[in-house]
């Protein structure tokens, strides 16, 4: 353990605590200072506990270890007898707390071995005698503490997760811990900045400030507690659990661990760790020069037919070979009875054979030099124990043969940049910058179809299936170095290696946004995820905490994935949380303002200079506030001018426009009404309005892109009314940015809020990096 070298110099934990902790039958702590450091003492305590065959430290021992890592603990004394306890109480000063102490006394409160607020020697003696009677042979001594008053109780601790390893917890303590569940988590290591963020995430965070005449909690001591637990989790591998409850805050704001327990043992580990797959191998799967369909079929609706027809329709320019044991030509293409009969080299084998026949392909792939297999076939780990064993054997044999498998149980892959459209669903989204991986075939299909319809470009897509070899963590490594990937989007039901996911996501998020939707957030969702992915989902609170810590943007529902990816891939990040709005109607402005505040954004008041600028553009009865109500002005130039005034405002970090685009539906209906009522109107004249509106929207998006380039602030909007041509993303030729409009204010505000949160995380990471460099 190395906690001592990080331990800050701590003042007296409590101003009135004069006592020094001492093990029963051992010299006082002060007597040991010349002989050993605090951490050496902690290591000795843990070593003796293990040697004695014990799995828990006593309360006194636990606090000594915590103190060594800079965690503020109550100053207390241990006593080996009743007389020693009374002497200790006299030194500390009444009122005191008296507790039974012993290696087998881990639940003292339940056994009545904790006596509070003992006001004099007689009360202390009576309490000690009762403890002796109730504890019996389990009693090894007494623990004497000052009676510390405080109405604010919190809990802090450490546990070891099979996926993520050591995890620090902090939350509301006392009797409300389980009832309210107001706790937050971070995966070790936890920096001081991350510890501060944990405090701010509590729903009950107001209790940490000034409260009913009591001083604000000393945040430095709270941060020291969290980071101290983190260091213990990383440097003391024998510790599996730490519980500090309560972590008390007294009226002066001083923080103190009043009770603590440390548990030793073997830490849990995740089953079946997957070895990493090389980034080059993943890249080659998505850039094959030739593919072979093993299990090709002429039957409409079968996977062996769907995949081939989708690939051909998408315009794939590489070699395509069909393998079918019957040897019948399919779609006018020659069919080979075996992969060995293919005359040319094959990069990627796409397999749709029954699961029982797949293992026999491994030596054939090896002999032919096919290094990569896209395994569509199901019937493996997702179906139960027999399938899991079949999958393990397949992976073992494939690894030995040098064959890399994507899948099994996958819906396929896409790389629009190479016209590689190889999924079981006829969708062909355009090439773009979003890397998309989904552990659900159906959800992946929906996301791709939505991307195609909404004009959202895809860098690459994988339906990752059971991830027998290539896992989410491997995809993250690939997206990290891929220059064409600007935004990473993941639908995850399970992770195979939480620690790898944690470190990989952290690295990638520093370079490009990572957006994640987690399936299996509830017990029912966990069961559903296990039933078709063959893996249990991780605890959602812990998973979300790991995401927040690593800068991953968490989506709440499937639609969020595309909304967020559209915004992140098309707009600059906001530098802050201040939002200016312009709206075609007052109601939308009110709704959008409420949503901004509820989402952690700000809607600043317009300053006099901005009001003066807009006064030149709008009638005198405009509302003179943010959001700016355009009061029904339908001149297409006015929204552009107001938008420019707002975006260049130095107290604005982003602009949301509501109803400035999307009037085509109304214009066409107006033309319809006009021509119906008066058929004599010239057709060219009535169509002029439709054409003018279309040109106006193009000009609006072009101007938005120009302003985003000039000022580096995102501009996004809400469409007035959708029609058959409505898209979330509108390309602007020659610009790195695009027009982004959503159907509702809540979708626009949510996207902007997540962008702002990500920017805050990036800024915090940058500050921490600079601090580390200076240190």
């Amino acid at each position: 353990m190395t906690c001592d070298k990080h331990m800050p110099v701590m003042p007296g934990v409590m101003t009135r605590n004069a006592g020094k902790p001492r093990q029963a039958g051992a010299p006082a702590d002060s007597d040991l200072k010349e002989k050993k450091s605090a951490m050496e003492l902690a290591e000795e305590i843990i070593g003796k506990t293990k040697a004695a065959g014990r799995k828990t430290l006593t309360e006194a021992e636990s606090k000594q270890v915590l103190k060594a890592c800079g965690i503020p603990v109550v100053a207390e004394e241990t006593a080996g007898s009743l007389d020693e306890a009374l002497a200790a109480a006299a030194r500390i000063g009444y009122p005191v707390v008296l507790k039974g102490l012993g290696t087998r006394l881990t639940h003292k409160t339940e056994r009545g071995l904790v006596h509070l607020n003992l006001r004099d020697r007689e009360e202390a003696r009576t309490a000690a005698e009762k403890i002796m009677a109730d504890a019996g042979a389990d009693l090894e001594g007494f623990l004497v503490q000052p009676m510390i008053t405080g109405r604010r109780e919190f809990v802090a601790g450490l546990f070891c997760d099979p996926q993520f390893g050591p995890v620090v917890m902090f939350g509301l303590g006392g009797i409300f811990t389980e009832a309210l569940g107001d706790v937050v988590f971070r995966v070790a290591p936890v920096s001081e900045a991350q510890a501060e963020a944990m405090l701010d995430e509590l729903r009950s965070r107001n209790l940490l400030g000034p409260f009913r005449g009591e001083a604000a909690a000393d945040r430095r001591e709270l941060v020291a507690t969290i980071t101290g637990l983190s260091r213990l989790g990383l440097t003391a591998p024998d510790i599996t659990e730490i519980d500090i409850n309560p972590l008390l805050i007294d009226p002066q704001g001083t923080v103190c661990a009043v009770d603590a327990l440390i548990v030793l043992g073997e830490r849990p580990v995740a089953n079946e760790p997957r070895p990493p797959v090389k980034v080059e191998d993943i890249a080659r799967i998505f850039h094959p020069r030739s593919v072979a369909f093993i299990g090709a079929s002429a039957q409409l609706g079968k996977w062996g037919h769907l995949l081939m027809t989708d690939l051909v329709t998408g315009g794939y320019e590489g070699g395509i070979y069909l393998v079918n044991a019957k040897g019948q030509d399919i779609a006018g293409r020659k069919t080979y009875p075996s992969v060995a009969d293919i005359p040319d080299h094959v990069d990627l084998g796409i397999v749709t054979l029954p699961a029982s026949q797949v293992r026999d392909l491994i030596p054939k792939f090896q002999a032919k030099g096919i290094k990569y297999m896209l395994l569509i076939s199901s019937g493996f780990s997702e179906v139960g124990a027999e399938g899991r064993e079949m999958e393990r054997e397949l992976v073992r044999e494939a690894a030995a043969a040098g064959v890399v498998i994507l899948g099994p149980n996958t819906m396929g892959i896409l790389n629009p940049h190479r016209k590689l459209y190889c999924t079981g669903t006829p969708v062909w989204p355009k090439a773009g910058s979003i890397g998309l991986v989904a552990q659900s075939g159906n959800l992946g299909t929906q996301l791709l179809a939505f991307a195609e319809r909404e004009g959202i470009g895809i860098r690459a897509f994988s339906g990752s299936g059971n991830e027998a070899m290539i896992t989410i963590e491997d995809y993250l490594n690939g997206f990290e170095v891929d220059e064409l990937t600007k935004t990473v989007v993941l639908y995850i039901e399970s992770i195979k290696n939480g620690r790898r996911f944690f470190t990989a996501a952290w690295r990638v998020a520093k370079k490009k946004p990572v957006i994640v939707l987690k399936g299996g957030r509830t017990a029912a969702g966990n069961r559903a995820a296990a039933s078709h992915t063959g893996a249990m989902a991780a605890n959602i609170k812990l998973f979300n905490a790991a995401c927040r810590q690593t800068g991953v943007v968490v989506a709440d529902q499937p639609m969020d994935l595309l909304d967020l990816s559209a915004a992140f891939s098309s707009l600059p990040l906001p530098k802050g949380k201040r939002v200016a709005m312009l709206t075609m109607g007052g109601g939308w402005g009110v709704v959008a303002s409420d949503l901004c505040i509820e989402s952690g954004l700000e809607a600043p008041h317009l300053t006099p200079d901005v009001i003066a600028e807009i006064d030149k553009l709008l009638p005198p009865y405009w509302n003179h506030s943010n959001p700016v109500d355009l009061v029904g002005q339908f001149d297409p130039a006015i929204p552009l001018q107001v938008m420019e005034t707002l975006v260049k405002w130095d107290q604005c970090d982003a602009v949301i426009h509501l109803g400035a685009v999307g009037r085509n539906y109304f214009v066409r209906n107006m033309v319809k009404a006009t021509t119906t009522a008066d058929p004599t109107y010239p057709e060219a004249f009535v169509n002029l309005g439709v054409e003018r509106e279309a040109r106006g929207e193009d000009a609006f998006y072009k101007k938005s892109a120009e302003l985003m380039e000039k000022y580096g602030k995102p501009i996004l909007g809400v469409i007035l009314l959708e029609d058959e041509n409505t898209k979330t993303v509108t390309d602007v030729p020659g610009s790195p940015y695009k027009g982004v409009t959503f159907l509702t204010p809540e979708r626009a505000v949510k996207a902007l809020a997540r962008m702002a949160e990500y920017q805050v995380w990036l800024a915090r990471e940058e500050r921490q990096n600079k601090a580390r460099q200076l240190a």
Side-chain angles (χ1 to χ4, degrees):
M1 291 188 294
T2 58
C3 292
D4 53 336
K5 71 179 181 180
H6 299 288
M7 187 175 72
V9 178
M10 298 291 293
V13 176
M14 290 287 178
T15 55
R16 60 168 293 179
N17 296 347
K20 300 292 182 180
R22 177 166 67 92
Q23 285 185 282
D29 186 40
S30 58
D31 299 332
L32 298 171
K33 284 186 177 179
E34 294 182 0
K35 299 179 181 179
K36 60 187 71 175
S37 71
M39 274 317 303
E40 288 174 333
L41 176 61
E43 290 172 346
E44 179 181 302
I45 291 171
I46 292 175
K48 286 182 177 180
T49 303
K50 289 178 61 181
R54 291 192 283 128
K55 293 185 177 181
T56 59
L57 276 61
T58 67
E59 181 180 344
E61 292 168 340
S62 297
K63 288 175 183 170
Q64 286 178 302
V65 172
L66 297 178
K67 182 180 179 182
C69 276
I71 297 172
V73 301
V74 59
E76 58 192 16
E77 291 194 39
T78 57
S81 67
L82 186 151
D83 289 340
E84 287 185 12
L86 295 178
R91 286 192 297 272
I92 290 174
Y94 292 99
V96 297
V97 175
L98 191 63
K99 301 179 180 180
L101 189 63
T103 56
R104 294 182 294 275
L105 300 179
T106 56
H107 300 285
K108 295 183 291 294
T109 302
E110 289 85 343
R111 295 182 62 174
L113 305 180
V114 178
H115 292 255
L116 307 175
N117 200 28
L118 304 175
R119 292 168 293 181
D120 53 39
R121 180 182 177 87
E122 192 57 36
E123 287 189 2
R125 176 183 293 276
T126 301
E129 290 173 345
K130 189 171 190 318
I131 289 173
M132 293 169 65
D134 290 340
D138 292 339
L139 187 69
E140 298 171 14
F142 297 94
L143 194 59
V144 188
Q145 304 170 347
M147 180 64 195
I148 301 171
T149 59
R151 292 183 291 177
R152 293 172 288 177
E153 294 185 6
F154 289 85
V155 60
L158 175 87
F159 65 92
C160 296
D161 180 75
Q163 287 284 355
F164 291 101
V167 177
V168 178
M169 179 269 289
F170 179 79
L172 187 64
I175 61 174
F176 301 110
T177 301
E178 295 182 4
L180 298 181
D182 188 10
V183 293
V184 291
F185 304 95
R186 286 295 185 276
V187 177
V190 183
S191 67
E192 290 187 355
Q194 291 162 357
E196 289 274 4
M198 290 178 72
L199 303 181
D200 293 334
E201 284 177 23
L202 280 181
R203 297 194 303 273
S204 54
R205 57 186 172 273
N206 288 343
L207 290 174
L208 299 175
F211 183 75
R212 294 192 174 184
E214 297 185 359
D218 189 327
R219 290 179 71 95
R220 293 172 303 172
E221 292 182 340
L222 291 171
V223 168
T225 298
I226 292 170
T227 55
L229 289 169
S230 170
R231 289 193 293 272
L232 268 174
L234 294 175
T235 59
D238 293 313
I239 294 178
T240 60
E241 185 179 348
I242 300 174
D243 183 41
I244 303 174
N245 190 9
L247 185 68
L248 200 66
I249 300 174
D250 77 355
Q252 289 73 46
T254 307
V255 178
C256 180
V258 177
D259 199 355
L261 175 68
I262 293 180
V263 180
L264 310 179
E266 294 290 330
R267 292 183 173 181
V269 294
N271 296 325
E272 300 182 36
R274 269 67 163 178
V277 175
K278 294 180 181 178
V279 168
E280 311 90 79
D281 286 329
I282 300 175
R284 288 178 184 134
I285 290 175
F286 285 85
H287 295 81
R289 292 165 297 178
S290 57
V291 302
F293 290 93
I294 297 92
S297 173
Q299 184 176 339
L300 184 67
K302 295 195 71 171
W303 279 91
H305 186 267
L306 291 171
L307 293 164
M308 182 269 294
T309 56
D310 287 353
L311 183 68
V312 171
T313 304
Y316 178 66
E317 297 171 350
I320 300 175
Y321 303 95
L322 309 183
V323 177
N324 185 295
K326 296 178 181 180
Q328 298 173 346
D329 289 355
I330 299 173
R333 295 175 178 269
K334 180 177 176 58
T335 302
Y336 301 92
S338 169
V339 293
D341 299 315
I342 299 174
D344 302 313
H345 176 74
V346 173
D347 288 333
L348 176 65
I350 303 164
V351 179
T352 56
L353 297 177
S356 60
Q357 300 178 26
V358 175
R359 280 177 62 186
D360 293 340
L361 287 175
I362 298 301
K364 297 176 182 178
F365 270 45
Q366 184 179 23
K368 183 63 181 174
I370 304 175
K371 290 192 62 177
Y372 306 107
M373 177 187 292
L374 176 60
L375 184 51
I376 306 295
S377 311
S378 58
F380 289 92
S381 62
E382 79 279 2
V383 299
E386 184 177 346
R388 282 193 295 272
E389 182 58 31
M390 187 187 305
E391 187 171 295
R392 279 193 290 265
E393 286 300 312
L394 175 65
V395 168
R396 183 184 62 78
E397 294 178 14
V403 176
V404 178
I405 297 174
L406 193 160
N409 191 29
T410 170
M411 66 165 287
I413 61 175
L414 296 180
N415 179 1
H417 293 267
R418 293 294 295 268
K419 299 181 181 178
L420 179 71
Y421 294 95
C422 189
T423 67
T425 303
V427 289
W428 301 274
K430 68 179 184 180
S433 61
I434 296 172
L436 175 60
V437 180
Q439 288 182 342
S440 163
N442 288 337
L443 186 59
T445 296
Q446 292 172 345
L447 294 174
L448 290 174
F450 182 81
E452 181 181 30
R453 186 175 59 123
E454 296 296 318
I456 299 172
I458 300 296
R459 164 62 182 108
F461 164 79
S462 175
S464 61
N466 292 1
E467 299 184 9
M469 292 185 76
I470 304 177
T471 67
I472 285 290
E473 298 79 40
D474 295 313
Y475 288 111
L476 282 170
N477 290 340
F479 287 136
E480 178 185 7
V481 299
D482 181 59
E483 294 182 357
L484 292 179
T485 301
K486 304 302 181 184
T487 307
V488 178
V489 178
L490 308 174
Y491 171 72
I492 296 177
E493 290 175 354
S494 67
I495 49 177
K496 303 298 185 290
N497 187 319
R499 201 74 197 182
R500 266 193 76 203
F501 175 84
F502 180 80
T503 55
W506 202 334
R507 289 196 320 271
V508 179
K510 292 178 182 179
K511 302 176 181 179
K512 55 193 76 175
V514 179
I515 303 166
V516 171
L517 173 64
K518 178 68 171 65
R521 297 192 296 268
T522 64
N526 277 341
R527 291 193 298 273
S531 68
H532 79 278
T533 65
M536 285 297 290
N539 178 280
I540 188 60
K541 285 187 177 181
L542 178 54
F543 182 85
N544 285 345
C547 288
R548 283 191 295 271
Q549 189 171 352
T550 56
V552 170
V553 180
V554 178
D556 299 319
Q557 53 193 9
M559 184 61 68
D560 291 343
L561 281 181
L562 269 298
D563 282 356
L564 293 172
S565 60
F568 274 96
S569 63
S570 305
L571 307 171
L573 289 174
K575 298 298 188 294
K577 298 183 177 183
R578 301 169 300 181
V579 184
M581 291 165 275
L582 63 147
T583 175
M584 292 297 292
W588 256 8
V590 172
V591 169
S593 297
D594 289 341
L595 289 168
C596 284
I597 302 305
E598 291 165 356
S599 301
L601 300 172
E602 301 169 8
H605 294 293
L606 298 181
T607 51
D609 57 321
V610 173
I611 292 174
E613 285 292 317
I614 299 177
D615 273 338
K616 302 173 185 177
L617 305 171
L618 296 178
Y621 52 83
W622 74 280
N623 61 330
H624 293 74
S625 66
N626 180 25
V628 176
D629 189 344
L630 298 178
V631 291
Q633 298 296 302
F634 280 89
D635 182 346
I638 289 178
L640 286 173
Q641 293 170 314
V642 173
M643 180 172 65
E644 184 168 9
T645 301
L646 293 176
V647 78
K648 69 182 181 182
W649 181 29
D650 61 2
Q651 295 187 34
C652 160
D653 300 306
V655 172
I656 295 177
H657 55 85
L658 302 110
V661 293
R663 295 179 290 190
N664 289 324
Y665 179 87
F666 291 113
V667 172
R668 286 202 303 270
N669 276 3
M670 181 183 69
V671 168
K672 178 181 178 181
T674 300
T675 56
T676 299
D678 187 353
T680 64
Y681 265 101
E683 183 177 351
F685 178 78
V686 295
N687 286 334
L688 183 63
V690 177
E691 296 171 4
R692 179 184 177 188
E693 187 63 32
R695 289 195 301 270
E697 290 198 356
D698 289 341
F700 188 91
Y701 288 127
K702 182 179 179 182
K703 184 64 174 180
S704 297
E706 291 173 355
L707 292 173
M708 287 190 282
E709 287 188 65
K710 183 175 181 180
Y711 295 101
K713 300 176 183 180
I715 300 172
L716 66 162
V718 180
I719 199 159
L720 185 62
L721 195 65
E722 67 174 321
D723 61 16
E724 66 276 8
N725 298 316
T726 298
K727 291 185 177 181
T728 301
V729 175
T730 300
D731 286 327
V732 178
S735 175
Y737 302 120
K738 300 176 175 64
V740 176
T741 51
F742 297 101
L743 297 182
T744 63
E746 53 266 32
R747 288 170 63 181
V749 171
K750 177 182 281 190
L752 181 59
R754 297 296 166 83
M755 294 179 75
E757 291 169 5
Y758 177 63
Q759 176 60 38
V760 168
W761 181 85
L762 284 175
R764 186 169 65 235
E765 286 294 308
E766 185 176 352
R767 288 194 300 270
Q768 290 183 166
N769 288 336
K770 288 182 179 178
R772 281 192 288 266
Q773 292 170 2
L774 291 174

